[in-house]
Amino acid sequence: MALWHILVITMKTIRIVLADDQLLIRAGIRAIIETLPGYLIEAECADGHETIAAIRKLQPDVVLLDIAMPGPSGIEVARTIRQFDRETRILVLSSIDRQEIVEQALAAGVNGYLLKDFVLAELIQALAMVLEGESFLSPKLSAMNLRSEAESDSGQISRLTTRQTEILRHVASGRTTKEIARELGISPKTVEFHRSRLMEKIGVHDVTGLTRFALHTGIVSCP
């Protein structure tokens, strides 16, 4: 029974609408998709209006969507699609790697964002993941996001006072309030005050969050 069910799923043809204003790009992507068993490009669209109309009419499994198109942009198209269709998976194919654009696309309801310099394995993975209901980001975008988080953490560290950094180090090392107070020659209430201010500055709500931040930024190292 389980095997039969898997075979039925495997045999299902995944219907795709391809939206990009450049004919050569569409031709290249179509050529790649046609090499993948189980995928069919049902329609090609050259602008935002065509794309929205095609989604309404065909209700495909996936739309491969460019961001910079005539008429409504890819982000506006995604936003419109999500007003009447929550099922079609939207995978952006774009050469734009700016973080604010990626964030706008995700906020508009896209399921994945793949840069156009992808390798075949990335496209296959992206399609598989969005069809399973997961989200996908190009590895390059994920790396950029990690760098952005690190830069944000660095900014937060620079706003900490010397005393707060000192207390953070002790908290992350597992010291109790009394132990920290004794070590630094201050009262337990002063330690609690500084710990509370640390949580506000860093944006966490407990000692675990403080410890994670200290490890991530290198204020303390893993034992």
Side-chain angles (χ1 to χ4, degrees), residues 84-185:
F84 64 85
D85 184 341
R86 306 297 301 180
E87 298 302 317
T88 295
R89 318 317 288 172
I90 304 175
L91 176 60
V92 168
L93 288 182
S94 177
S95 56
I96 301 172
D97 62 3
R98 298 205 309 275
Q99 185 174 348
E100 66 270 20
I101 297 299
V102 177
E103 290 175 352
Q104 287 174 28
L106 294 172
V110 310
N111 305 98
Y113 200 109
L114 181 62
L115 295 176
K116 282 183 177 177
D117 61 353
F118 63 83
V119 296
L120 181 57
E122 290 174 351
L123 175 61
I124 293 172
Q125 182 185 15
L127 286 168
M129 288 181 68
V130 299
L131 285 166
E132 285 294 320
E134 300 179 47
S135 58
F136 177 88
L137 279 182
S138 279
K140 289 181 182 178
L141 294 175
S142 298
M144 287 170 58
N145 188 49
L146 288 174
R147 287 198 300 273
S148 176
E149 288 180 0
E151 289 166 2
S152 175
D153 288 342
S154 296
Q156 288 176 312
I157 291 172
S158 67
R159 295 201 306 271
L160 301 182
T161 66
T162 302
R163 177 65 86 188
Q164 287 172 343
T165 303
E166 202 171 21
I167 287 177
L168 175 58
R169 186 177 295 110
H170 284 301
V171 169
S173 298
R175 303 282 184 84
T176 66
T177 299
K178 287 183 178 180
E179 288 172 339
I180 296 171
R182 187 165 56 249
E183 178 76 21
L184 299 180

